[in-house]
Amino acid sequence: MADQYAQSSEDIRPTGVPAIPAIRWDEPPEGPVLVVLDQTRLPGEEIELVCTDAQALVEAIRTLAVRGAPLLGIAGAYGVALAAARGFDVDEAADALAGARPTAVNLAYGARRAQAAYRTAVAGGAGDERAAGAALEAARALHAEDARASATMAAHGLALLDELLPGGGHRILTHCNTGALVSGGEGTAFAVALKAHRAGRLRRLWVDETRPLLQGARLTAYEAARNGMAYTLLTDNAAGSLFAAGEVDAVLIGADRIAADGSVANKVGSYPLAVLARYHHVPFIVVAPVTTVDPDTPDGASIEVEQRSSHEVTELTALPQGPAFGIEAGGGIPVAPLGTQAYNPAFDVTPPELVTAIVTEEGVLSPVTAEGIAGLWGGSRDGRVRME
């Protein structure tokens, strides 16, 4: 199960990084735990969830207390390490974590990487404690790698913006949340905008609210405000008028899975932005670590898109005032007639021909082709972890 420790919203400052890290490993006297910042409570409160087993982490992931592709990979690895350290079945924990959100490939990658480290240690004659230590070491290594990847992607991304849009004064439109809340570092697409801001080359960050769960309004605006960035929030369906007014220089988004042909699965609402960007001759740039590339998924049609509950669309839920972990559906204010069914995919898929470039820690891929994707993955450091 998961416990919660609250921090008053009065302690939240308007600038800087989140006062509480998105994820951390802790070892109190009663045993190791994984502590995550509950993103469902932001921006009103910064509250930590303390997970003592993998199932608690699975619940946190499914309720979006923990979210964002790179962070999910880190969480998956730590979750397996937690199961090993507390004497639970490691394979069972890895399977549960890998399946918690099927579209996000990083989650399975992280869980399998820690599982592989544990299995290798056991096969080499290590006892339970040493094998658990190997899983934890793999999780920490992934965490550190993602922090380094974030910084490298930010540099590559800003260099690309400056090449495509010389002169600075960038007006960047982003969707969902891709900052420090989803990463071991400062994020993916948001990290590029943040680096542009620090270099004095960001004129405006346009923030899609990102329906229906408002990750843009609640989380990206929260991070932009903390970092003193010039930002403006807009409803998702206002993006078209923003393009038409000539107010967007580039679109930067993250990704939850990139197929072998270069198709990009990201938070629903990304694909319409790609279509708008193409019509208005605006660069559409995806920023994601190489671990988001899935060579085993041949094309966009093969990506499993998670379908979420109708109540997220048919009800308006205020920020919870009490414990939110595992909150049940049906507690919101109805905004549609009782019994209304809703189409609520968590992601959509953008075909490669609409993507100007994919920015990873290994460099920039443009144009986006299957051959380029294959070369990008082949040049990565660790290779894909495969489990029988």
Side-chain angles (χ1 to χ4, degrees):
M1 297 299 293
D3 302 314
Q4 298 177 346
Y5 300 122
Q7 174 176 312
S8 168
S9 58
E10 294 179 359
D11 294 332
I12 299 177
R13 301 291 182 260
T15 61
V17 298
I20 300 174
I23 192 166
R24 62 186 175 89
W25 179 270
D26 196 11
E27 297 186 2
E30 58 270 23
V33 295
L34 185 62
V35 185
V36 298
L37 178 62
D38 183 354
Q39 297 189 32
T40 68
R41 305 295 290 266
L42 294 172
E45 299 175 297
E46 290 183 342
I47 290 181
E48 291 186 310
L49 301 175
V50 182
C51 300
T52 58
D53 58 34
Q55 190 53 47
L57 180 59
V58 167
E59 186 178 0
I61 290 168
R62 286 177 174 165
T63 59
L64 301 183
V66 182
R67 47 156 296 281
L71 188 69
L72 286 175
I74 295 166
Y78 276 126
V80 170
L82 181 63
R86 285 189 167 262
F88 293 105
D89 188 300
V90 169
D91 292 338
E92 182 178 305
D95 289 346
L97 286 161
R101 297 201 73 192
T103 307
V105 69
N106 301 66
L107 176 56
Y109 171 78
R112 298 307 182 196
R113 179 164 164 176
Q115 181 187 20
Y118 177 86
R119 284 185 175 182
T120 298
V122 169
D128 291 344
E129 185 174 347
R130 283 181 54 203
L136 179 58
E137 184 178 347
R140 285 175 167 158
L142 179 59
H143 198 162
E145 288 165 16
D146 187 70
R148 291 192 296 270
S150 175
T152 304
M153 287 186 292
H156 289 327
L158 181 54
L160 176 63
L161 283 178
D162 288 342
E163 178 183 342
L164 296 174
L165 307 164
H170 306 316
R171 297 167 298 176
I172 297 171
L173 173 63
T174 192
H175 190 69
C176 200
N177 173 250
T178 58
L181 292 170
V182 308
S183 169
E186 291 185 314
T188 56
F190 184 88
V192 177
L194 181 57
K195 191 170 183 66
H197 162 68
R198 289 170 176 164
R201 298 204 286 277
L202 179 70
R203 179 177 169 187
R204 177 67 49 181
L205 181 66
W206 298 109
V207 179
D208 265 358
E209 62 180 350
T210 316
R211 293 279 174 161
L213 297 180
L214 304 178
Q215 291 98 322
R218 294 188 305 103
L219 306 179
T220 300
Y222 162 85
E223 293 197 72
R226 281 188 165 280
N227 285 284
M229 301 166 75
Y231 75 96
T232 300
L233 182 67
L234 64 146
T235 61
D236 293 357
N237 57 6
S241 64
L242 201 61
F243 277 97
E247 292 291 331
V248 181
D249 296 317
V251 179
L252 266 66
I253 67 165
D256 288 87
R257 185 183 297 251
I258 299 173
D261 71 339
S263 295
V264 175
N266 193 55
K267 178 64 183 178
V268 66
S270 300
Y271 172 56
L273 293 180
V275 175
L276 282 165
R278 174 56 60 90
Y279 181 81
H280 291 280
H281 308 290
V282 169
F284 183 87
I285 301 167
V286 175
V287 186
V290 172
T291 51
T292 306
V293 178
D294 183 12
D296 295 329
T297 299
D299 51 36
S302 303
I303 297 175
E304 180 181 356
V305 174
E306 173 190 346
Q307 296 288 330
R308 295 190 60 82
S309 173
S310 291
H311 84 89
E312 293 176 347
V313 177
T314 61
E315 298 177 6
L316 180 64
T317 303
L319 288 174
Q321 299 303 309
F325 189 75
I327 189 170
E328 293 296 327
I333 301 169
V335 294
L338 184 66
T340 298
Q341 295 186 357
Y343 174 63
N344 188 21
F347 307 95
D348 57 26
V349 179
T350 299
E353 57 268 24
L354 294 183
V355 180
T356 305
I358 295 177
V359 177
T360 77
E361 70 273 31
E362 298 294 335
V364 176
L365 176 62
S366 181
V368 178
T369 64
E371 294 76 18
I373 291 289
L376 184 67
W377 181 250
S380 68
R381 289 184 295 272
D382 299 312
R384 175 67 60 182
V385 176
R386 298 177 186 271
M387 301 298 297
E388 296 293 333

